[in-house]
C-alpha cells in the first residue's frame, strides 16, 4: 500500500536530514533565455557546469543563473536560502568555445547581480568579468571577491560598488557575436558552449545545507517533461528523484516547444528545421539525462506527441477546423496539432522518433518509445480539426468526394459523417504506426507505448469522436504497452467518466492489464494542490489495485512544487493489507444504547497576566468519544463485550457504533428525507459527492456551520435529490460515504441527501479490565471508544 504526504517549507533542509554542499555547486545552476534561441545546462563532474547554446537573433541573451532561494527543488531536497554573500571569495575558470562573445568584447559576458543595497533599496549591478580575469578572452581565471566587487565597464573610473549582503540572484549573460540588441536574425544559427569550473571557494557562506531525504524505494513511477525542465540540470532532477524513492521506469515527454531545431522563415517567424531533429542544447541535455538515468537504474520511456508550439509550426502542417482555423490548444502561448495526413509533418515526427531512440542507445538505455496523446484536435468551440488541405485532398483522392463538413462534433452523426470520421481514424493510426516504425528502425528492440487521454475523446455528448480518435488499428497487439491517462476526470471528481472511459478503451483495444500503465495527475495550479493530490493518489492506488503493470505520477515539476512525496512503510509489501483495519460490524446495540459520551474539540487556551484569554481551535471538526461500559447491565452483556473486544483485537480494528443521540441526517433526528443535507452544487462535470452533515446556525462570529463527513451510512436508508427532485436511480453509494452519479448533475443544481449512519470508532485501549465480582459490587468497566477520522 502506497502512502503519501505534501511536504512544505516547514520541511526544509534545516528541519530534516541534511547534507552540505558548496555554494555554486554545478547541480543547482539554472539557464533561461527568450525564444527562439535555445540553451541547456548540464554538469561535468563535481566542479564544472556546462552550457550549450543556439542563438538565432542579434538580441539573443542566455542567463546562467544562481538563485539564492531554491524555488525549483522538492522541499525535502532544497538548498537553504542564504542571500548574504559577504566574505565570499570565488575563483573560477571560464572557458568558451564556438559562437559566444568572448570576455574582452564590449558586450562580452557580464555578471548581473540583483538584490538590495545596505539601505534595503532594490539594486542591480553589472560586473564586467574581463575586469577580474587573468588569461585569454576564451580561457581565463576569474577571481570574484564579493567584498570588493564593482559594477561598471571601466574601473576604477566607472566603479559601482556591489553590496553583497542581500542578493536575490546572480547570472552570467551569454550573447552571440554580432549582438546589438535588435531582433534581426543572425546570418546563420550561432552555436557555442561555456564551461565554469570552480577552482576555489572560501569564506562565510561557502557551504550550504541541502535536504537529503532517505526514503525507501516505492513502486510508483515518475513522469518528466523537457519543456518544464530545460532550465535545470539532469543531475539535479534525477538525484532528487532517487533520494525520494522513485525507481524504475520514467515516462519522459520530449515536449513541444524546446527540443526542436529552428530556422528563420521569410515572414520573420522561426520554424522547425526539417534537417535536424534536435537542437544542440536539447541533444546535449538528453544525452546527459539518459546516461545518468541508466547509471542510476532508471528506465526512461521517451515520449513524442503530435503537438508543436504554434509559433514554430509551418502553417500547412497544422490541423484545421471546417472554418479553416488552426486547431490551437488552450496553453498560453498555444500549441498546434500536426496533421496525420501531411507528409512533411509526419516525416519530421518520424525523424525525431528515430533520433530519440538513437540517443537512448548511445546512452546505454533500453530503448522505449511512447506515442503521446495522438488525436484529431477538438477545441472548446466543439469544431473537430479534420480539414487541413492535406487531409481533405487525401480524402477526395481516395473517394472522389468532398469531405463532409462537421462544424460541431456533439451529437450523433450522419452515415456520411461517420464514414469520414472512420477514415480519419485510419489516417491517425497510420501516422502513429509510422512513428513507431521509425523508432524501431533506429532501435529494433524498442518497446512501444501508446498514451491515450480519455477525457479529450470519450465524452457522452460526442459519441462518434472515438471513430477518429480511438481507431481499431490501435487494438492489442499494435503496441507493446497501452498507457491510460484521465487526470481531468480524477481532479474533477468525475468517477463515472473515469469508469466509462476505462470500460470503452478496454472494449475497443483489449489490452490485458499486464500490458497497461496508468498515468495519474496532474495539478496544474499550486492553489489546487491540497484538493487534487488526494484524488490523484487515490486514483493511482485504485489502478494499482486493478493490477496494471505500472502506475506513473504526472509530473515531476508539480510534485516538486507541491512537495508530493509518496512512500511505503516497512511491511506494506508483506501482506499486511490482508488484515483490514476496519471491520464492518456494529457494536452490540444493547450495549451501545447505554453508552455515554459526545463530541470533543481541541482548543489551546492561553490566559494572559491580565486575565484575558487567547484561544486557538486546533481541530476544524469534533471527534466523538464514548464510554460503552455504562451499557453493561448483565453478565451476558459482559460476555458479549469481551467477545466483541477480542474479535477486534483491541485497538487493531475499527467498527461501527450507533450514536443513540445522533444517527440521522434530519436535524430533529427523525426519518431521513432526500433534501436533509446539501452535498454540493453540480457543475455539469462532477459525478462524485461526499455525504456530509452540517451543524450550527447561520455562522455566528464569522464561522460557517460545522461540516462533518459521514462515511458509514446505512445503504438501505440513503435517499438523494438533485435540484429538489428525488432521484430513485442513476446513482450508487460507494465505500466511504460517496454518492456516484452515472450522469453529472447539471450546473447550478443543488445535490442533497438523507440517510441514517453509524460512527466509525475503535477501542481506545488494548486492555479491558473487568471482573464478575467487581461488576456485582457495582463497579462498571471502563470501555472508552474513540471516533476514527476517515475523510
Amino acid at each position: 500500500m502506497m502512502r503519501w504526504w505534501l511536504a512544505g517549507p516547514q520541511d526544509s533542509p534545516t528541519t530534516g536530514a541534511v547534507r552540505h554542499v558548496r555554494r555554486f555547486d554545478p547541480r543547482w545552476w539554472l539557464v533561461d533565455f527568450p525564444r527562439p534561441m535555445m540553451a541547456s545546462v548540464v554538469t561535468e563532474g563535481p566542479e564544472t557546469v556546462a552550457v550549450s547554446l543556439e542563438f538565432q537573433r542579434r538580441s539573443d541573451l542566455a542567463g546562467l543563473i544562481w538563485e539564492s532561494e531554491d524555488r525549483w527543488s522538492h522541499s525535502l531536497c532544497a538548498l537553504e536560502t542564504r542571500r548574504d554573500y559577504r566574505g565570499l571569495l570565488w575563483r573560477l575558470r571560464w572557458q568558451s568555445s564556438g559562437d559566444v562573445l568572448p570576455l574582452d568584447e564590449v558586450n562580452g559576458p557580464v555578471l548581473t547581480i540583483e538584490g538590495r543595497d545596505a539601505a534595503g533599496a532594490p539594486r542591480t549591478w553589472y560586473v564586467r568579468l574581463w575586469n577580474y580575469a587573468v588569461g585569454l578572452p576564451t580561457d581565463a581565471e576569474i577571481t570574484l571577491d564579493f567584498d570588493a566587487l564593482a559594477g561598471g565597464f571601466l574601473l576604477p573610473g566607472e566603479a559601482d560598488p556591489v553590496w553583497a549582503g542581500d542578493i536575490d540572484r546572480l547570472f552570467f549573460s551569454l550573447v552571440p557575436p554580432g549582438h546589438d540588441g535588435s531582433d534581426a536574425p543572425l546570418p546563420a544559427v550561432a552555436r557555442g558552449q561555456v564551461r565554469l569550473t570552480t577552482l576555489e571557494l572560501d569564506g562565510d557562506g561557502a557551504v550550504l545545507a541541502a535536504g537529503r531525504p532517505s526514503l525507501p524505494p516505492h513502486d510508483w513511477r515518475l513522469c518528466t517533461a523537457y519543456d518544464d525542465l530545460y532550465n535545470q540540470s539532469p543531475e539535479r532532477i534525477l538525484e532528487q528523484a532517487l533520494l525520494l524513492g522513485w525507481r524504475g521506469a520514467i515516462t519522459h515527454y520530449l515536449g513541444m516547444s524546446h527540443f526542436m531545431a529552428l530556422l528563420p522563415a521569410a515572414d520573420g517567424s522561426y520554424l522547425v528545421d526539417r534537417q535536424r531533429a534536435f537542437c544542440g542544447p536539447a541533444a546535449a541535455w538528453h544525452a546527459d539525462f539518459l546516461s545518468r538515468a541508466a547509471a542510476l537504474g532508471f528506465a526512461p520511456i521517451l515520449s513524442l506527441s503530435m503537438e508543436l508550439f504554434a509559433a514554430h509550426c509551418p502553417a500547412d502542417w497544422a490541423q484545421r477546423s471546417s472554418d479553416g482555423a488552426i486547431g490551437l490548444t488552450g496553453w498560453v502561448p498555444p500549441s498546434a496539432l500536426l496533421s496525420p495526413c501531411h507528409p512533411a509533418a509526419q516525416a519530421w515526427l518520424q525523424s525525431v522518433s528515430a533520433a530519440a531512440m538513437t540517443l537512448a542507445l548511445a546512452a546505454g538505455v533500453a530503448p522505449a518509445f511512447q506515442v503521446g496523446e495522438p488525436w484529431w484536435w477538438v477545441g472548446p468551440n466543439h469544431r473537430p480539426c479534420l480539414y487541413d488541405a492535406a487531409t481533405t485532398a487525401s480524402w477526395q483522392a481516395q473517394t472522389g468526394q468532398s469531405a463532409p463538413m462537421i462544424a460541431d462534433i456533439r451529437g450523433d452523426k450522419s452515415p456520411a459523417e461517420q464514414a469520414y470520421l472512420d477514415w480519419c481514424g485510419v489516417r491517425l493510426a497510420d501516422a502513429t504506426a509510422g512513428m513507431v516504425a521509425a523508432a524501431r528502425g533506429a532501435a529494433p528492440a524498442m518497446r512501444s507505448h501508446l498514451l491515450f487521454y480519455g477525457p479529450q475523446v470519450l465524452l457522452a455528448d460526442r459519441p462518434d469522436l472515438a471513430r477518429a480518435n480511438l481507431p481499431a488499428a490501435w487494438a492489442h497487439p499494435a503496441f507493446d504497452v497501452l498507457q491510460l491517462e484521465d487526470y481531468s476526470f480524477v481532479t474533477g471528481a468525475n468517477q463515472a467518466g473515469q469508469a466509462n472511459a476505462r470500460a470503452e478503451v478496454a472494449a475497443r483495444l483489449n489490452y490485458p492489464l499486464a500490458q497497461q500503465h496508468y498515468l495519474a495527475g496532474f495539478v496544474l495550479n499550486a492553489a489546487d494542490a491540497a484538493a487534487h493530490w488526494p484524488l490523484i493518489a487515490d486514483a493511482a492506488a485504485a489502478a494499482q489495485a486493478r493490477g496494471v503493470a505500472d502506475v506513473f505520477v504526472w509530473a515531476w515539476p508539480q510534485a516538486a512544487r507541491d512537495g508530493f512525496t509518496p512512500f511505503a512503510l516497512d511491511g506494506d509489501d508483506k501482506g499486511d493489507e490482508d488484515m483490514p483495519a476496519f471491520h464492518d460490524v456494529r457494536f452490540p446495540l444493547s450495549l451501545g444504547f447505554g453508552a455515554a459520551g459526545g463530541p470533543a474539540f481541541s482548543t489551546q487556551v492561553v490566559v494572559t497576566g491580565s486575565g484575558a484569554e487567547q484561544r486557538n481551535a486546533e481541530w476544524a471538526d469534533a471527534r466523538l468519544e464514548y464510554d460503552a461500559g455504562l451499557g453493561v447491565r448483565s453478565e451476558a452483556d459482559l460476555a458479549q463485550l469481551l467477545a466483541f473486544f477480542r474479535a477486534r483485537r483491541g485497538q487493531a480494528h475499527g467498527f461501527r457504533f450507533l450514536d443513540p443521540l445522533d444517527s440521522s441526517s434530519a436535524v430533529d433526528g427523525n426519518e431521513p428525507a432526500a433534501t436533509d443535507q446539501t452535498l454540493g452544487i453540480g457543475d455539469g462535470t462532477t459525478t462524485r459527492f461526499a455525504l456530509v452533515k452540517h451543524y450550527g446556525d447561520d455562522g455566528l462570529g464569522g464561522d460557517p456551520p460545522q461540516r462533518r463527513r459521514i462515511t458509514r451510512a446505512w445503504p438501505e436508508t440513503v435517499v438523494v435529490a438533485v435540484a429538489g427532485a428525488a432521484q430513485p436511480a442513476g446513482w450508487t453509494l460507494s465505500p466511504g460515504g460517496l454518492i456516484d452519479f452515472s450522469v453529472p448533475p447539471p450546473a447550478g443544481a443543488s445535490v442533497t441527501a438523507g440517510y441514517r449512519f453509524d460512527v466509525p470508532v475503535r477501542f481506545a485501549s488494548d486492555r479491558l479490565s473487568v471482573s464478575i465480582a467487581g461488576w456485582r459490587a457495582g463497579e462498571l468497566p471502563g470501555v472508552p471508544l474513540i471516533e476514527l477520522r476517515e475523510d
Side-chain angles (χ1 to χ4, degrees):
M1 172 182 167
M2 288 294 298
R3 305 163 195 267
W4 62 276
W5 64 303
L6 296 181
Q10 71 276 9
D11 306 300
S12 67
T14 57
T15 62
V18 299
R19 51 187 165 152
H20 291 89
V21 300
R22 295 171 69 181
R23 202 194 301 239
F24 306 132
D25 185 294
R27 290 168 289 184
W28 274 272
W29 284 94
L30 304 167
V31 69
D32 215 348
F33 48 87
R35 286 189 177 94
M37 75 161 293
M38 297 292 169
S40 68
V41 57
V42 301
T43 55
E44 295 181 352
E47 303 295 345
T48 301
V49 58
V51 184
S52 297
L53 302 144
E54 279 197 9
F55 301 104
Q56 297 281 354
R57 302 172 301 177
R58 295 181 183 275
S59 61
D60 284 347
L61 181 152
L64 178 61
I65 304 165
W66 182 271
E67 295 186 337
S68 298
E69 179 184 358
D70 185 357
R71 300 180 299 119
W72 299 92
S73 296
H74 190 287
S75 56
L76 296 181
C77 303
L79 283 177
E80 67 169 300
T81 298
R82 185 160 182 170
R83 293 185 169 86
D84 191 348
Y85 290 66
R86 290 174 296 176
L88 197 65
L89 178 70
W90 184 24
R91 187 166 64 90
L92 61 100
R93 184 180 181 185
W94 174 283
Q95 295 173 292
S96 63
S97 60
D99 296 324
V100 181
L101 210 60
L103 291 167
D104 61 340
E105 294 284 347
V106 171
N107 290 320
V110 168
L111 178 64
T112 300
I113 300 176
E114 300 173 340
R116 282 154 292 279
D117 63 19
R123 278 297 314 273
T124 301
W125 296 272
Y126 303 96
V127 179
R128 188 186 184 210
L129 293 174
W130 187 240
N131 291 332
Y132 297 92
V134 175
L136 301 175
T138 58
D139 192 345
E141 289 188 12
I142 300 173
T143 301
L144 301 174
D145 181 348
F146 280 81
D147 290 340
L149 280 183
F153 188 79
L154 296 175
L155 301 182
E158 299 175 354
D160 180 14
V162 173
W163 192 74
D166 193 3
I167 294 174
D168 290 327
R169 72 170 184 165
L170 50 85
F171 63 89
F172 296 95
S173 56
L174 312 173
V175 301
H179 178 88
D180 61 11
S182 73
D183 285 339
L186 293 165
V189 176
R191 304 182 182 92
Q193 296 80 36
V194 171
R195 285 175 175 79
L196 299 185
T197 302
T198 294
L199 303 176
E200 178 185 0
L201 187 65
D202 197 11
D204 291 344
V207 174
L208 300 175
R212 188 181 181 85
S214 183
L215 283 111
H218 56 74
D219 54 6
W220 284 359
R221 310 305 181 205
L222 189 61
C223 294
T224 56
Y226 183 58
D227 287 349
D228 298 324
L229 301 173
Y230 68 88
N231 65 328
Q232 302 173 58
S233 72
E235 184 177 5
R236 175 188 193 169
I237 297 158
L238 292 171
E239 179 188 71
Q240 291 189 25
L242 196 75
L243 289 172
L244 292 164
W246 301 96
R247 298 292 190 274
I250 295 178
T251 294
H252 176 74
Y253 179 38
L254 296 175
M256 56 86 177
S257 61
H258 284 80
F259 78 82
M260 62 286 301
L262 301 175
L263 287 176
D267 63 358
S269 64
Y270 289 82
L271 304 179
V272 293
D273 182 349
R274 306 182 192 194
Q275 304 305 312
R276 291 193 299 148
F278 285 78
C279 66
W285 191 96
H286 281 92
D288 189 66
F289 176 83
L290 292 167
S291 62
R292 291 185 184 279
L296 294 174
F298 289 112
I301 303 166
L302 296 182
S303 168
L304 178 64
S305 72
M306 298 173 68
E307 187 176 355
L308 182 59
F309 185 58
H312 302 328
C313 181
D316 59 333
W317 286 16
Q319 297 178 20
R320 293 178 182 268
S321 57
S322 58
D323 60 358
I326 291 178
L328 299 177
T329 65
W331 300 109
V332 179
S335 55
L337 278 298
L338 302 185
S339 168
C341 295
H342 196 287
Q346 293 305 312
W348 180 74
L349 285 171
Q350 291 169 21
S351 72
V352 176
S353 305
M357 292 300 94
T358 300
L359 283 170
L361 291 175
V365 170
F369 179 71
Q370 179 211 81
V371 180
E373 297 180 353
W375 49 42
W376 295 95
W377 181 249
V378 178
N381 59 5
H382 311 294
R383 289 182 178 270
C385 295
L386 309 168
Y387 301 100
D388 61 277
T391 299
T392 55
S394 179
W395 165 265
Q396 188 158 23
Q398 292 186 32
T399 66
Q401 303 172 1
S402 296
M405 290 296 169
I406 304 174
D408 191 326
I409 195 62
R410 293 173 295 180
D412 295 325
K413 299 303 160 194
S414 69
E417 291 170 331
Q418 290 177 342
Y420 185 61
L421 290 168
D422 288 336
W423 179 87
C424 288
V426 174
R427 301 288 78 77
L428 181 63
D430 289 344
T432 58
M435 294 168 67
V436 169
R440 185 159 283 133
M446 180 271 298
R447 189 165 172 79
S448 64
H449 300 69
L450 171 69
L451 176 62
F452 179 75
Y453 180 65
Q456 174 66 17
V457 178
L458 302 176
L459 297 176
D461 66 347
R462 51 198 68 187
D464 285 317
L465 180 58
R467 294 174 176 270
N469 279 344
L470 193 60
W474 283 350
H476 180 265
F479 295 85
D480 294 314
V481 179
L482 173 66
Q483 295 183 302
L484 296 181
E485 182 181 25
D486 58 5
Y487 60 83
S488 64
F489 281 156
V490 172
T491 57
N494 188 347
Q495 302 295 320
Q498 188 181 23
N500 292 339
R502 193 165 61 241
E504 186 161 355
V505 170
R508 287 175 176 265
L509 302 187
N510 198 32
Y511 281 81
L513 285 174
Q515 290 177 250
Q516 288 189 37
H517 294 166
Y518 179 72
L519 272 68
F522 67 87
V523 182
L524 179 61
N525 299 310
D528 296 324
H532 287 175
W533 280 115
L535 299 173
I536 290 167
D538 286 348
Q544 204 166 23
R546 287 196 303 273
V548 299
D550 263 325
V551 169
F552 293 76
V553 176
W554 177 267
W556 171 252
Q558 289 75 35
R561 178 198 66 199
D562 300 332
F564 180 72
T565 311
F567 62 94
L569 297 178
D570 289 343
D572 280 353
D573 59 347
K574 297 180 175 61
D576 290 1
E577 290 306 307
D578 293 339
M579 186 177 72
F582 192 90
H583 289 174
D584 199 21
V585 295
R586 184 177 290 125
F587 189 75
L589 289 177
S590 59
L591 305 181
F593 277 118
F601 285 91
S602 177
T603 306
Q604 286 187 343
V605 180
V606 178
V607 181
T608 65
S610 65
E613 291 184 351
Q614 293 181 345
R615 294 177 296 279
N616 178 45
E618 296 181 316
W619 295 354
D621 195 359
R623 194 177 190 187
L624 291 159
E625 298 177 357
Y626 305 94
D627 186 348
L630 301 177
V632 178
R633 295 188 175 91
S634 68
E635 293 182 22
D637 288 345
L638 199 58
Q640 188 178 26
L641 172 63
L642 286 169
F644 191 85
F645 181 83
R646 291 177 67 90
R648 307 289 83 74
R649 291 167 173 79
Q651 301 181 85
H653 302 282
F655 51 91
R656 289 174 176 261
F657 179 79
L658 176 61
D659 186 336
L661 298 178
D662 187 4
S663 62
S664 174
S665 59
V667 175
D668 56 8
N670 290 330
E671 286 302 307
T675 55
D676 281 348
Q677 299 291 330
T678 299
L679 310 186
I681 303 297
D683 57 10
T685 298
T686 300
T687 60
R688 169 164 284 184
F689 294 81
L691 293 179
V692 294
K693 184 174 182 180
H694 299 88
Y695 297 82
D697 39 39
D698 57 355
L700 296 178
D703 290 331
Q706 187 196 1
R707 179 179 180 275
R708 177 187 179 189
R709 273 283 282 115
I710 303 300
T711 60
R712 298 288 167 175
W714 302 2
E716 68 276 10
T717 69
V718 179
V719 286
V720 175
V722 175
Q727 304 292 310
W731 58 270
T732 57
L733 176 65
S734 297
L738 300 169
I739 301 296
D740 285 322
F741 288 91
S742 56
V743 176
S750 177
V751 179
T752 58
Y755 45 80
R756 286 200 176 276
F757 64 96
D758 292 319
V759 182
V761 300
R762 63 169 171 82
F763 288 106
S765 172
D766 278 327
R767 174 173 295 181
L768 191 61
S769 297
V770 296
S771 72
I772 292 294
W775 179 80
R776 288 173 176 170
E779 296 177 6
L780 297 179
V783 188
L785 309 177
I786 191 165
E787 183 181 10
L788 298 172
R789 294 203 188 280
E790 293 189 307
D791 53 350

